[in-house]
Amino acid sequence: MYSFSDPCWASINRGILICDECCSVHRSLGRHISQVRHLKHTPWPPTLLQMVETLYNNGANSIWEHSLLDPASVMSGRRKASPQDKVHPNKAEFIRAKYQMLAFVHRLPCREDDSVTAKDLSKQLHSSVRTGNLETCLRLLSLGAQANFFHPEKGNTPLHVAAKAGQTLQAELLAVYGADPGTQDSNGKTPVDYARQGGHHELAERLVEIQYELTDRLAFYLCGRKPEHKNGQHFVIPQMADSLDLSELAKAAKKKLQSLSNHLFEELAMDVYDEVDRRETDAVWLATQNHSTLVTETTVVPFLPVNPEYSSTRNQGRQKLARFNAHEFATLVIDILSDAKRRQQGNPLAGSKDNVELILKSISNQHSSESQDNDQPDYDSVASDEDTDLETNAAKSNRQKSLDSDLSDGPVTAQEYMQVKNALVASEVKIQQLMKVNINLSDELRIMQKKIGRSAFVTSSSSLPSFPSTLSWSRDESTRRASKLEKQSSVSESDYDNPTAPLELEETGASRKGRQRSVIWQGEGSIPEDTDTAPSSSLPSTEDVIRKTEQITKNIQELLRAAQENKHDSYIPCSERIHVAVTEMAALFPKKPKSELVRTSLRLLTSSAYRLQSECKKTLPVETCPTTDIQLVTQQVIQCAYDIAKAAKQLVTITTKENNN
């Protein structure tokens, strides 16, 4: 916005290119204010990118700075932020005034009836879209023209007019501002029909893609592919492996989602779409910043910003989506895709008075009764954050279902579906936050050490890995993850120091290609059953557990430094040292612990160590693994390190509590 030495981001709905500094602010505004996308590291429909570039080259920025271009603005003291100004607060305040408050947009003369003004603007838009003058249409939209305006005399919408005239870029702009390609004119024809009748077949195909943009984006997020609309395939829906054997509670939870009214279901789907965009944009942001000074707490977007046009209840539900881990979020996305297809095909269910907030609560309130010290993120000021336990058990059962390769549409392989974007979803903000020291965790350990009378550990305990409050939404997260792994394992648990190596360790370059985003590690960390060993309630001393945890932490910090410095050849030796430390820690515990929490924490600890080794092996020389994307591998490596540290922390907490009782 101020100096474009390297404008590598775009704000789609504002028609501008922006630099990293400005993007750090735009991301925090929310998609309803600015829809940001990276120019190189995010897939673009060619015509959408062309639309943004055309607007930028034709001075779209002047629309948002109209009054600042008036010489009188200098006299009034108003000015643009300069490149030399600090991002916070100078540039941030200017960006919010410019795009959120629309403080500098041209204002029309006041009228007694504002609806007449909006109707006049919409009629102008309806007429203008037949031309190629994009900036005129953007100006009209900025003043309040409605993209879905239905012209009473013409009997159609601006998108019908643009489609008939073959104005592809105008159609892109209208769609960005909410125009619906499925809207029918007075004769029952859609913009797609208009485009085909005018011989604009590429535009017609693009309009079909826009019509399915929400479900396409969700499908691509999960399995890296989109349906082939040209061939009449409009949905790609991954199914759950045990979908034919769901418990009654799980079926009830799914039916609750299905019975939402179409209006509420659409709201939920749009909110999930926004959360997908937030997660993917954050992943690109972190990967491209490379731990520069821009990656700070002030640039973190831990949950969806408040949209003042939505109710407080809806805003609260939108923010709760950030609590979902990769598998939980994938489950919700799959259910939405499945129900979207059902609704489009006209298979109605009985209506329900349940709102979207209850659906989200029933999915996100896992283990609420087990964790009384559950950390909560500092949400923006919206509705009350009081949770209910309604449908908790059903949601828990639903989330523990393992994913498989059964796809209802198209020849999607098992490997393609197992590519759920773990690196782009689960690591998110954790990349840079794992490098800090969590004061809360240090304090907890100090309290533990005082209880056992070992003050000598106070100094060294501060070296444990950090997990800021925005990541500590549920302290029993390790239990949840481990429970899922336990469900996926085909045998019972014992011998935690001898887990079976995952199949991924045997894969080579070609077979790895489709698994770099895998989120499910079926069978990893599975434990052969030892029928001769009785469950044991004995636990090792807290001192021994802390000592082994410190060794694990030291090795993890070494791995994180290697990641920060791009020393990828250090990944494998670091992972081997971590695995040795994990094995030694697991050996402290009984082969068959009586405590469920101990078993699940140990399972997460050992399975994550094997996952880490597997991911690190992907950094072998390029000639060995030519398909490796080192950025995605690095994010998965950090995710594994995070899981190991969380499991170790859980074991320290458990042993301290039990030994003090």
Side-chain angles (χ1 to χ4, degrees), residues 46-201:
T47 52
L48 180 62
L49 179 59
Q50 185 181 351
M51 182 271 289
V52 173
E53 291 176 338
T54 301
L55 283 172
Y56 171 70
N57 291 330
N58 285 276
N61 192 48
S62 63
I63 295 174
W64 315 109
E65 296 182 353
H66 177 84
S67 62
L68 292 179
L69 301 178
D70 187 345
S73 65
V74 178
M75 302 298 295
S76 65
R78 291 187 300 179
R79 69 172 187 88
K80 292 179 57 174
S82 67
Q84 292 75 30
D85 287 339
K86 294 181 179 179
V87 178
H88 298 280
N90 304 71
K91 290 181 180 178
E93 290 179 353
F94 176 74
I95 290 172
R96 291 190 183 96
K98 180 178 176 181
Y99 297 111
Q100 190 169 22
M101 307 305 296
L102 300 180
F104 315 120
V105 170
H106 174 64
R107 301 294 180 186
L108 293 175
C110 294
R111 289 193 183 185
E112 294 181 0
D113 187 352
D114 291 337
S115 63
V116 175
T117 300
K119 183 176 181 180
D120 290 343
L121 289 170
S122 298
K123 284 187 174 182
Q124 291 182 45
L125 178 67
H126 189 278
S127 176
S128 298
V129 293
R130 69 180 72 251
T131 72
N133 198 333
L134 283 179
E135 59 273 20
T136 296
C137 293
L138 180 60
R139 190 179 301 276
L140 291 168
L141 289 165
S142 73
L143 294 173
Q146 299 300 304
N148 271 320
F149 172 73
F150 190 89
H151 199 295
E153 290 82 24
K154 306 291 184 181
N156 56 19
T157 69
L159 191 55
H160 285 93
V161 176
K164 182 177 181 179
Q167 292 292 343
T168 302
L169 303 189
Q170 293 282 22
E172 292 282 3
L173 178 61
L174 291 169
V176 167
Y177 276 82
D180 182 5
T183 299
Q184 296 181 348
D185 68 358
S186 55
N187 295 319
K189 295 182 179 179
T190 67
V192 178
D193 297 327
Y194 274 59
R196 287 173 177 161
Q197 291 175 1
H200 311 298
H201 300 293

Side-chain angles (χ1 to χ4, degrees), residues 96 102 125 143 151 179 189 257 271 281 314 356 392 454 484 539-540 570 574 581 602 610 636:
R96 291 190 183 96
L102 300 180
L125 178 67
L143 294 173
H151 199 295
K189 295 182 179 179
L257 173 67
D271 294 344
T281 303
R314 183 176 179 185
V356 174
T392 299
R454 290 295 301 268
K484 282 181 279 187
L539 294 175
S570 299
C574 285
L602 284 169
Y610 269 108
Q636 288 188 331

Side-chain angles (χ1 to χ4, degrees), residues 41 420 609:
H41 295 280
V420 182

Side-chain angles (χ1 to χ4, degrees), residues 253-374:
K254 186 165 185 135
K255 188 175 181 180
K256 197 175 187 67
L257 173 67
Q258 293 174 336
S259 60
L260 284 174
S261 68
N262 285 338
H263 174 70
L264 290 177
F265 177 78
E266 288 173 1
E267 285 188 351
L268 175 59
M270 288 188 290
D271 294 344
V272 170
Y273 178 95
D274 286 350
E275 175 65 11
V276 165
D277 182 83
R278 183 194 70 82
R279 295 187 180 210
E280 289 191 330
T281 303
D282 271 9
V284 173
W285 169 259
L286 292 171
T288 55
Q289 296 313 302
N290 194 27
H291 303 284
S292 72
T293 55
L294 280 179
V295 181
T296 65
E297 291 185 0
T298 59
T299 66
V300 169
V301 184
F303 45 79
L304 290 173
V306 169
N307 185 338
E309 295 183 1
Y310 296 159
S311 66
S312 295
T313 301
R314 183 176 179 185
N315 273 310
Q316 187 71 54
R318 284 164 57 85
Q319 293 179 349
K320 288 180 183 296
L321 289 171
R323 291 185 181 180
F324 292 15
N325 62 31
H327 184 254
E328 292 167 343
F329 192 60
T331 301
L332 177 59
V333 170
I334 291 169
D335 286 344
I336 287 176
L337 285 170
S338 301
D339 211 46
K341 180 180 180 181
R342 177 190 65 80
R343 290 170 188 260
Q344 193 209 46
Q345 292 177 342
N347 299 324
L349 290 176
S352 171
K353 296 182 180 180
D354 296 322
N355 61 25
V356 174
E357 175 70 358
L358 282 179
I359 299 296
L360 295 179
K361 284 180 179 178
S362 69
I363 296 174
S364 68
N365 280 351
Q366 177 173 299
H367 297 294
S368 60
S369 61
E370 299 175 6
S371 179
Q372 297 180 358
D373 57 346
N374 191 23

Side-chain angles (χ1 to χ4, degrees), residues 417-592:
Y417 175 63
M418 294 300 288
Q419 293 175 358
V420 182
K421 293 187 176 179
N422 186 40
L424 297 181
V425 176
S427 62
E428 292 187 27
V429 187
K430 298 170 190 171
I431 294 177
Q432 30 88 13
Q433 290 178 328
L434 275 168
M435 305 303 297
K436 303 176 182 178
V437 175
N438 187 328
I439 298 176
N440 294 333
L441 179 56
S442 299
D443 290 342
E444 285 180 16
L445 289 179
R446 289 189 181 95
I447 294 173
M448 295 174 191
Q449 292 151 6
K450 288 179 181 178
K451 288 181 179 179
I452 62 175
R454 290 295 301 268
S455 59
F457 287 99
V458 172
T459 302
S460 59
S461 69
S462 62
S463 63
L464 281 172
S466 59
F467 305 99
S469 61
T470 53
L471 294 177
S472 302
W473 291 317
S474 178
R475 294 204 177 200
D476 58 348
E477 180 181 1
S478 59
T479 303
R480 294 204 305 270
R481 292 170 181 260
S483 297
K484 282 181 279 187
L485 288 169
E486 188 172 10
K487 289 280 285 185
Q488 293 156 10
S489 179
S490 59
V491 292
S492 60
E493 63 273 23
S494 64
D495 293 336
Y496 286 97
D497 51 339
N498 293 298
T500 304
L503 297 176
E504 181 76 9
L505 293 173
E506 304 299 326
E507 295 182 0
T508 55
S511 61
R512 280 198 196 102
K513 181 177 181 180
R515 297 180 56 86
Q516 290 185 3
R517 297 193 298 269
S518 70
V519 69
I520 305 302
W521 295 73
Q522 293 191 5
E524 74 173 14
S526 58
I527 313 299
E529 183 173 7
D530 188 348
T531 57
D532 297 330
T533 303
S536 174
S537 59
S538 63
L539 294 175
S541 68
T542 306
E543 299 97 312
D544 290 342
V545 175
I546 290 178
R547 185 167 59 251
K548 293 300 181 183
T549 299
E550 289 174 343
Q551 185 60 45
I552 293 173
T553 300
K554 179 180 177 181
N555 293 325
I556 286 177
Q557 289 177 332
E558 183 181 352
L559 175 64
L560 294 177
R561 281 193 293 270
Q564 186 179 28
E565 297 169 3
N566 294 322
K567 295 181 179 179
H568 307 128
D569 54 346
S570 299
Y571 284 9
I572 292 179
C574 285
S575 68
E576 291 174 350
R577 287 190 287 272
I578 291 173
H579 182 264
V580 170
V582 165
T583 302
E584 292 176 352
M585 182 168 181
L588 296 174
F589 292 82
K591 290 185 177 181
K592 196 170 184 180

